[in-house]
């Protein structure tokens, strides 16, 4: 078994419009239809999850031009 890891995504700045935000969510399927969690607000928030859990993570295509999000991503692994 691989060493357990915790992923942390810190959302520094993003749009509060879900279609424009690029907020990383957690899903039971790889097409992002079966939602476990999707963030509603991105400014000054964080998503923390175990990378060994049985789910998918990511974000849907950001609609619109010139849209950005600022995040800090890190992973902590137990040795």
């Amino acid at each position: 078994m691989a060493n357990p890891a915790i992923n942390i995504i810190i959302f520094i700045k993003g749009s509060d419009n879900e279609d424009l935000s690029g907020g990383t969510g957690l899903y039971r399927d790889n097409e992002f239809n079966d939602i476990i969690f999707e963030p509603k607000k991105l400014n000054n928030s964080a998503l923390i999850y175990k990378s060994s859990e049985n789910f998918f993570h990511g974000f849907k295509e950001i609609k619109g031009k010139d849209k950005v999000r600022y995040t800090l991503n890190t992973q902590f692994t137990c040795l």
Side-chain angles (χ1 to χ4, degrees):
M1 180 176 157
N3 291 332
I6 300 292
N7 289 339
I8 302 173
I9 301 172
I10 301 169
F11 300 105
I12 298 168
K13 182 177 179 180
S15 170
D16 286 335
N17 180 327
E18 293 175 47
D19 292 333
L20 303 177
S21 66
T24 300
L26 307 177
Y27 308 91
R28 289 185 185 88
D29 68 319
N30 64 354
E31 294 180 356
F32 301 161
N33 293 318
D34 193 357
I35 301 167
I36 297 171
F37 173 78
E38 281 183 332
K40 301 295 181 200
K41 305 283 183 186
L42 292 187
N43 294 321
N44 300 315
S45 63
L47 176 64
I48 303 170
Y49 61 93
K50 288 183 184 179
S51 62
S52 60
E53 292 297 315
N54 188 23
F55 55 72
F56 297 88
H57 71 278
F59 55 91
K60 297 174 184 173
E61 179 181 354
I62 300 174
K63 300 172 184 170
K65 293 184 179 184
D66 302 322
K67 303 302 175 199
V68 297
R69 69 177 188 148
Y70 298 100
T71 65
L72 175 64
N73 302 291
T74 187
Q75 183 179 72
F76 294 94
T77 304
C78 299
L79 300 177

